[in-house]
């Protein structure tokens, strides 16, 4: 028999309230036994005393509880939610009371969502969106997660699945008939598959938006030693109160810091610059810097020499002239060619941020268009697999093999929404879910 699970759904710090979630067949029995009363009305907050089981009414807490019988609950199972007082001792008391039931255990990460998917209450795309919402640090991340939840991928995936299944049934009917005298001419599904492939392809194109919003826009410093890269990096992060961390890289020369600016996460990377060196560790650092420069959304090429501006290597590389506090007058010809800043006085740093923000808005413009399908890397990988199989089906003559490719494409779509291979896919995804979700 499937165990009944429970978990603290709120953070375990000192707080006015905590929510303890219980899900599974034993929920009602637990509720009755701990409150020594009948089950309260469905889905209505009810005040109850909770007692340790078989304790002669030793009180745990007096608090609200809601009873949500299957299937009208998040997991689709019988559920209770206890709105207990916050704090560790209260939870520990509930913990020991709940653990005294033989078929009850503490939930694993994401296990409530896993059960919700298995019971058809939600799908994987939506569960992932909820997880993103919980983890959102910036306004854009929150917006993206909610729109994923509302308009998400699930709808087009269902549509594409239906189309693939229709094509498969046409082909399979043809295979079945092929021994008979009134064999229909070979079916032509090329047109349908071409349209389908186009739609899948255009969705895959959007995979970078998700990363950009959730992981943050990548801004990498480059420039000669002493130009003031670290000073600018530090000033920006200090001024904006870095929200995540200043983690030193694995080598001595890449330092990363993230800020939340006007709703966007921006990651800054301070690099040591690219120099000729015999030192192995330094070489590794340079290899990483090169890779980082390639992946960057924006490169800030910092210089301190107002007589000679380096040439920008690409559109994503912006010139930054630092230490303008040293010159009495800024040469006219420099304006417009470089962002003029002083890490020392802070002048111009806001300008850098505003420009990055503008670029982030430009890069994520498509997110606002409800017609656009946004997907994360896992979903994109499955869609790429589906696209590959549709292409193979288009190139194939044998109907049996076409059918097999379509079956594979369909499996990729099913993995996206979690109708197959649930355990395997969920195991990976839910390892970064929180326990009470
Ligand atoms: P990096 O090697 O490019 O990271 O350069 P640093 O940030 O270590 O700065 C090199 C030197 O320039 C340090 O002595 C800083 O104090 C100085 N410096 C950095 N920014 C400014 C600035 O805006 N004005 C002035 N006057 N000095 C600066």
């Amino acid at each position: 028999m499937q165990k009944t699970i429970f978990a603290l759904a709120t953070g375990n710090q000192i707080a006015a309230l905590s929510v303890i979630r219980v899900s599974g067949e034993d929920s009602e029995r637990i509720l009755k036994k701990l409150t020594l009363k009948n089950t309260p009305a469905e889905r209505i907050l009810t005040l109850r005393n909770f007692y340790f089981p078989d304790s002669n009414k030793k009180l745990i807490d007096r608090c609200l509880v809601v009873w949500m019988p299957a299937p009208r609950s998040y997991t689709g199972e019988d559920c209770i939610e206890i709105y207990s007082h916050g704090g560790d001792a209260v939870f520990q008391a509930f913990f020991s009371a709940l653990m005294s039931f033989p078929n009850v255990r503490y939930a694993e990460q994401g296990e409530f969502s896993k059960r919700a998917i298995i019971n058809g209450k939600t799908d994987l795309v939506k569960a992932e969106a909820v997880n993103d919402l919980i983890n959102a640090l910036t306004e854009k991340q929150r917006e993206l997660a909610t729109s994923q939840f509302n308009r998400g991928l699930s709808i087009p995936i269902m549509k594409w699945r239906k189309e693939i299944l229709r094509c498969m049934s046409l082909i399979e009917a043809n295979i079945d008939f092929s021994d008979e005298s009134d064999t229909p001419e070979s079916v032509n599904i090329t047109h349908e598959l071409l349209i389908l492939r186009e739609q899948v392809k255009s969705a895959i194109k959007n995979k970078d938006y998700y990363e950009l919003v959730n992981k943050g826009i990548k801004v990498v410093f480059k420039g000669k030693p002493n130009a003031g890269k670290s000073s600018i990096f530090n000033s920006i992060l200090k001024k904006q109160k870095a929200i995540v961390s200043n983690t030193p890289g694995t080598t001595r020369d890449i330092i990363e810091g993230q800020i939340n600016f006007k709703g966007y996460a921006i990651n800054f990377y301070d690099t040591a610059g690219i120099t000729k060196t015999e030192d192995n560790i330094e070489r590794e650092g340079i290899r990483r810097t090169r890779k980082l420069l390639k992946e960057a959304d924006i490169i800030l090429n910092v210089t301190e020499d107002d007589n000679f501006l380096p040439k920008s290597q690409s559109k994503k590389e912006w010139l930054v002239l630092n230490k303008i506090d040293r010159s009495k007058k800024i040469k006219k010809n420099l304006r417009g060619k470089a962002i003029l800043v002083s890490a020392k006085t802070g002048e111009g740093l806001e300008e850098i941020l505003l420009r990055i923000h503008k670029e982030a808005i430009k890069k994520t413009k498509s997110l606002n268009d409800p017609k656009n399908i946004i997907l994360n890397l896992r979903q994109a990988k499955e869609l790429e697999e589906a696209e590959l199989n549709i292409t193979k089906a288009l190139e194939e003559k044998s109907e049996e093999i076409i059918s097999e490719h379509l079956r594979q494409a369909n499996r990729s779509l099913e993995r996206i929404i979690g109708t197959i291979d649930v355990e395997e896919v969920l195991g990976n995804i839910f390892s970064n879910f929180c326990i009470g979700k």
Side-chain angles (χ1 to χ4, degrees):
M1 186 165 90
Q2 170 129 296
K3 293 236 175 200
T4 293
I5 51 170
F6 73 96
L8 187 64
T10 44
N12 58 343
Q13 69 275 53
I14 294 177
L17 295 174
S18 285
V19 179
I20 300 162
R21 258 185 166 166
V22 184
S23 177
E25 279 181 14
D26 287 300
S27 299
E28 188 172 15
R29 201 161 66 83
I30 291 170
L31 183 56
K32 279 182 172 164
K33 189 154 184 197
L34 296 188
T35 58
L36 301 174
K37 281 207 163 171
N38 284 335
T39 320
E42 280 181 43
R43 307 164 68 79
I44 291 193
L45 278 172
T46 311
L47 188 62
R48 286 280 194 264
N49 283 342
F50 280 82
Y51 305 102
F52 285 99
D54 310 317
S55 69
N56 208 3
K57 286 201 163 183
K58 188 176 169 204
L59 190 68
I60 299 175
D61 196 6
R62 177 175 168 76
C63 56
L64 292 169
V65 64
V66 61
W67 159 238
M68 293 168 282
R72 295 181 69 203
S73 70
Y74 177 67
T75 56
E77 302 174 332
D78 282 350
C79 274
I80 53 177
E81 276 179 17
I82 305 168
Y83 296 79
S84 76
H85 288 96
D88 202 40
V90 179
F91 178 66
Q92 289 307 329
F94 273 108
F95 184 91
S96 71
L98 289 162
M99 287 301 277
S100 71
F101 291 85
N103 193 38
V104 174
R105 65 166 168 78
Y106 201 63
E108 290 162 11
Q109 281 171 309
E111 197 171 3
F112 290 90
S113 300
K114 200 167 174 177
R115 291 189 177 190
I117 294 169
I118 290 167
N119 294 327
K121 293 295 289 188
T122 188
D123 67 36
L124 192 46
V125 171
K126 287 188 175 171
E128 281 176 290
V130 171
N131 192 39
D132 286 344
L133 185 60
I134 294 168
N135 288 309
L137 287 173
T138 72
E139 173 57 14
K140 279 286 149 191
Q141 290 167 354
R142 187 197 62 74
E143 266 179 22
L144 178 58
T146 46
S147 75
Q148 276 294 72
F149 186 80
N150 283 328
R151 67 175 205 238
L153 250 187
S154 314
I155 299 165
I157 295 281
M158 303 286 197
K159 216 181 84 202
W160 296 335
R161 267 199 69 206
K162 228 166 134 187
E163 187 60 9
I164 289 184
L165 293 177
R166 196 176 70 83
C167 290
M168 274 167 73
S169 66
L170 285 174
I171 287 202
E172 270 156 29
N174 212 40
I175 297 171
D176 290 346
F177 274 117
S178 58
D179 292 339
E180 298 173 21
S181 52
D182 56 347
T183 308
E185 287 294 292
S186 73
V187 282
N188 192 349
I189 50 168
T190 308
H191 180 66
E192 282 88 343
L193 291 185
L194 282 173
I195 292 177
L196 188 65
R197 188 173 64 172
E198 250 348 274
Q199 291 171 345
V200 170
K201 254 186 173 168
S202 84
I204 296 171
K205 263 198 249 145
N206 291 342
K207 70 177 175 191
D208 293 341
Y209 298 130
Y210 186 95
E211 288 291 290
L212 199 118
V213 169
N214 275 318
K215 300 264 158 66
I217 185 159
K218 269 189 174 168
V219 181
V220 182
F221 285 97
K222 87 172 209 192
K224 290 196 176 131
N226 272 336
K229 300 180 292 297
S230 303
S231 304
I232 297 175
F233 175 90
N234 287 333
S235 298
I236 288 178
L237 288 172
K238 201 162 71 213
K239 200 169 145 224
Q240 298 298 325
K241 295 197 179 58
I243 50 166
V244 177
S245 63
N246 277 352
T247 35
T250 37
T251 67
R252 57 179 103 139
D253 42 25
I254 296 177
I255 303 177
E256 181 184 350
Q258 189 181 66
I259 64 165
N260 172 1
F261 187 74
K262 291 180 183 275
Y264 282 92
I266 308 175
N267 293 317
F268 288 94
Y269 298 85
D270 187 15
T271 65
I274 293 169
T275 46
K276 281 210 169 80
T277 175
E278 294 298 312
D279 183 310
N280 273 343
I281 300 177
E282 231 174 308
R283 264 207 213 139
E284 174 58 16
I286 289 167
R287 190 190 65 77
R288 290 180 189 209
T289 300
R290 284 215 168 93
K291 184 166 172 273
L292 205 56
L293 287 167
K294 237 191 226 154
E295 294 167 357
D297 295 299
I298 294 164
I299 297 168
L300 297 178
N301 186 351
V302 183
T303 176
E304 57 172 327
D305 184 355
D306 59 2
N307 287 313
F308 176 73
L309 283 182
K311 245 191 144 68
S312 165
Q313 306 286 318
S314 65
K315 246 178 104 182
K316 69 175 185 181
E317 184 172 319
W318 303 351
L319 299 183
V320 176
L321 175 64
N322 187 29
K323 308 193 188 181
I324 56 167
D325 56 287
R326 291 190 309 192
S327 13
K328 287 206 176 60
K329 227 170 143 202
I330 306 291
K331 290 184 191 126
K332 265 203 186 120
N333 63 342
L334 294 179
R335 295 197 184 277
K337 289 203 177 128
I339 309 175
L340 310 180
V341 306
S342 164
K344 195 173 169 189
T345 64
E347 198 181 339
L349 299 183
E350 182 82 2
E351 172 71 15
I352 294 183
L353 293 178
L354 288 172
R355 287 206 196 180
I356 295 172
H357 180 241
K358 217 165 142 188
E359 190 66 17
I361 292 177
K362 213 166 92 187
K363 281 182 182 294
T364 54
K365 211 169 58 200
S366 310
L367 289 178
N368 299 328
D369 183 347
K371 283 203 296 295
N372 271 322
I373 294 160
I374 308 301
L375 63 170
N376 64 27
L377 281 186
R378 178 194 78 85
Q379 297 157 351
K381 238 176 95 204
E382 294 292 357
L383 268 195
E384 278 162 356
E385 190 63 32
E387 187 205 332
L388 188 73
N389 273 303
I390 297 171
T391 301
K392 283 183 181 165
L394 277 162
E395 289 164 355
E396 186 56 53
K397 292 261 173 329
S398 146
E399 286 175 339
E400 273 93 352
I401 299 176
I402 293 175
S403 182
E404 183 49 32
H405 286 311
L406 293 183
R407 206 181 333 274
Q408 293 300 335
N410 184 43
R411 285 182 72 82
S412 297
L413 299 184
E414 289 185 335
R415 262 195 298 272
I416 293 179
I417 44 178
T419 39
I420 58 158
D421 296 345
V422 190
E423 292 293 333
E424 179 200 325
V425 184
L426 296 192
N428 285 329
I429 296 169
F430 288 142
S431 59
N432 49 35
F433 260 56
C434 57
I435 304 271
K437 195 65 216 175

